[in-house]
Amino acid sequence: MMPSVEDWREEAKRSAVKEALKKIKDGYVVGLGSGSTVTYAIKELAKKIREDKLSVLGVPTSYQSMFLAIESGIRVTTLDENPELDLAIDGADQVSKTLNLIKGGGAALTREKIVDSAARELLIVVDESKVSSILNIPVPIEILPFAVKTVTKRIRQLGGVPVLREGSGKVGPIVTDNNSFIVDADFGAIKEPFELERKLKTIPGVIETGLFLDMAKEVYVGTKDVVKVLRK
Ligand code: A5P
């Protein structure tokens, strides 16, 4: 029987995670991103720590990754104790050919950006459906609830179409791990991501954006049959 699209994508993510985890060394402090790909990464990392008897600490970027890391037996630590990380492993919603990213589909972008940028090396793991010649999906933006109306007005002035993200299992907007809102802002094809990032970050009330520019060193791309590694 032919595997379904979902099956090959999940299998591709799993293979790419295994390849990325080859970089883990004894004594490393590792940033743990969030999302479904990182779920595989956390479980695989826990297995590797057990089997190879490694001493590795994890810095989670969300309640999701913190709970899973603890359940899996990974010792977690904080940025207060370890402000510099050896490596971070994370997923992405879109990856451009120049390794710029859009993240935040799981609303964990602010802590992800802090943790990912604290790492000497950021490894991103995706399946090949996420790779695009240009960034063109809506950009998740975390916003202080007090400022949601003024920020969305400014996003429109920048040419974006903002949509306040609604959750499931709760009426009204989702509330992030930082007690804030998420707006997904559609700017079409983003030709000048650095300029857009600069403009968004100057809006009072914007906490963080899902544009991760010039951060990823390597992107592990799972395909139907092999894992490709894109490098800077
Ligand atoms: C979480 O906020 C995101 O940045 C995720 O890293 C991103 O959405 C990728 O998630 P999946 O691995 O679930 O596709």
Side-chain angles (χ1 to χ4, degrees), residues 3-19 36-37 40-41 44 125-128 220-228:
S4 70
V5 176
E6 286 313 313
D7 283 347
W8 84 253
R9 283 181 58 186
E10 295 311 302
E11 201 38 56
K13 286 196 275 192
R14 260 195 292 259
S15 315
V17 155
K18 283 187 187 154
E19 200 54 39
S36 59
T37 314
Y40 294 132
E44 281 298 325
V125 182
V126 292
D127 70 73
E128 68 177 336
Y220 290 75
V221 184
T223 72
K224 275 196 181 117
D225 30 51
V226 288
V227 177
K228 294 183 195 157

Side-chain angles (χ1 to χ4, degrees), residues 108-127:
L109 59 131
T110 299
R111 294 189 192 199
E112 287 176 332
K113 208 187 247 187
I114 294 167
V115 169
D116 291 354
S117 66
R120 282 193 279 113
E121 210 176 344
L122 169 61
L123 310 181
I124 294 294
V125 182
V126 292
D127 70 73

Side-chain angles (χ1 to χ4, degrees), residues 43-60:
K43 289 180 182 164
E44 281 298 325
L45 176 61
K47 196 165 151 223
K48 196 177 166 78
I49 291 171
R50 272 195 313 274
E51 289 177 356
D52 300 351
K53 299 193 176 18
L54 302 177
S55 166
V56 169
L57 297 175
V59 177

Side-chain angles (χ1 to χ4, degrees), residues 13 34-38 90-93 103-109 112 130:
K13 286 196 275 192
S34 300
S36 59
T37 314
V38 172
D90 208 342
D93 300 306
K103 287 181 50 55
L109 59 131
E112 287 176 332
K130 307 263 188 83

